[in-house]
Amino acid sequence: MLDPMRSDSAVMFGHTKLVKLEFFMIKTDENNEIGDLNLTYLLLAQRLVKEDPAKAMFRLGMSKELADLLGNLSLSQIVKLASSSLLLCRFRFDDHPILSTLAQEGKSLSLQQAHTAILLSGQQMEATH
């Protein structure tokens, strides 16, 4: 088994170490997965915006300007954006109270969903001001 942390354990392939090739193959796989996730997210977000802009803005946590822009992108523009190696969607639960509320056991599902919606709507309001 090759140890990528030890340079003496790498197998040479021409002038390139195999460990480096494996590293780039992993990165390529990660980039492909990120691109797939981006494309799925952008297509879903655009569909939600076209169906009901206000509801989409709330559910996705985006401004009207961003929703308008997303709703008007062509398929080729979406594919181009999706090919980024960076995630285009954002994990909205970067706040400890929100995540801990979602993870709590014992609350009824409807109460938990209502509480989460209230917390997220407050977060949305703070972001737009």
Side-chain angles (χ1 to χ4, degrees):
M1 176 100 191
L2 295 176
D3 181 0
M5 300 307 289
R6 292 184 52 207
S7 61
D8 61 334
S9 68
V11 176
M12 294 299 291
F13 183 75
H15 294 295
T16 307
K17 291 182 181 177
L18 185 56
V19 171
K20 289 186 178 181
L21 289 176
E22 289 176 356
F23 174 77
F24 289 123
M25 287 170 41
I26 291 169
K27 288 296 183 192
T28 300
D29 289 345
E30 288 173 2
N31 288 345
N32 289 341
E33 290 175 13
I34 289 171
D36 291 347
L37 179 60
N38 284 341
L39 183 60
T40 300
Y41 173 75
L42 288 170
L43 291 172
L44 172 63
Q46 186 180 57
R47 182 174 54 85
L48 292 174
V49 165
K50 286 182 176 185
E51 289 173 0
D52 187 342
K55 186 175 177 182
M57 287 166 44
F58 175 75
R59 293 177 99 182
L60 299 170
M62 67 175 57
S63 67
K64 179 170 178 18
E65 294 79 17
L66 185 57
D68 290 342
L69 179 65
L70 183 60
N72 291 316
L73 290 176
S74 69
L75 182 57
S76 63
Q77 289 172 312
I78 287 177
V79 170
K80 185 177 179 179
L81 277 173
S83 67
S84 169
S85 62
L86 301 175
L87 281 175
L88 299 178
C89 56
R90 174 177 88 103
F91 192 57
R92 292 182 62 189
F93 311 116
D94 55 352
D95 190 354
H96 181 267
I98 295 173
L99 188 56
S100 62
T101 298
L102 285 174
Q104 277 182 351
E105 296 289 330
K107 283 186 182 178
S108 73
L109 181 60
S110 60
L111 179 60
Q112 187 176 17
Q113 288 175 339
H115 190 205
T116 301
I118 291 167
L119 289 172
L120 288 176
S121 66
Q123 189 181 49
Q124 171 72 19
M125 294 299 287
E126 290 171 10
T128 57
H129 292 327

